[in-house]
Amino acid sequence: TFLGRDDLSQLLEAEKRHGEQEKQRNDRLERALAQEKSEKAAAASAAIAGRAAQKELEKSQALIADLEAQLAQAQEAFKQQLAEAPPAPPAPAPPSLAAREQGKE
């Protein structure tokens, strides 16, 4: 069949519109893919940071537990030293008021 000039013109316009729609669709898909990649990268980064933070927390908790054990040992050793120490001599009585008055003269 033979197509006229107007028919060819209309076909060309339709092809142009279709091409533009296809380009817009591809652009949207590319943006969506870039967004998804960005979100996945952010999630992976957050997961890595979360694991690092968890490891640091575990190290800190272990250090605290170790320090608490050392403190308990030191307190027990101190109590034992107190129990074994000879009693302290009684403190001298403070001078009486009369003795202090005599000391001023």
Side-chain angles (χ1 to χ4, degrees):
T1 61
F2 180 73
L3 295 175
R5 184 175 219 138
D6 288 339
D7 294 332
L8 288 175
S9 207
Q10 288 176 356
L11 279 175
L12 185 57
E13 274 302 312
E15 276 299 312
K16 271 174 115 176
R17 282 193 305 273
H18 180 70
E20 288 172 6
Q21 290 171 346
E22 207 46 43
K23 183 180 180 317
Q24 290 173 355
R25 181 178 170 270
N26 286 342
D27 289 347
R28 284 193 305 271
L29 289 173
E30 285 178 15
R31 284 193 302 271
L33 181 60
Q35 178 69 27
E36 186 176 335
K37 283 181 180 180
S38 175
E39 288 171 0
K40 284 183 179 180
S45 179
I48 290 168
R51 285 193 296 270
Q54 181 64 33
K55 285 181 182 179
E56 286 300 314
L57 176 62
E58 290 169 1
K59 285 180 188 177
S60 296
Q61 289 171 333
L63 179 60
I64 289 169
D66 184 50
L67 291 172
E68 286 174 340
Q70 289 180 27
L71 176 61
Q73 289 174 345
Q75 287 173 328
E76 193 56 42
F78 182 70
K79 286 179 187 176
Q80 189 174 354
Q81 287 176 350
L82 282 178
E84 294 172 357
S96 66
L97 183 58
R100 280 188 272 165
E101 289 296 325
Q102 285 179 352
K104 287 183 182 177
E105 295 174 2

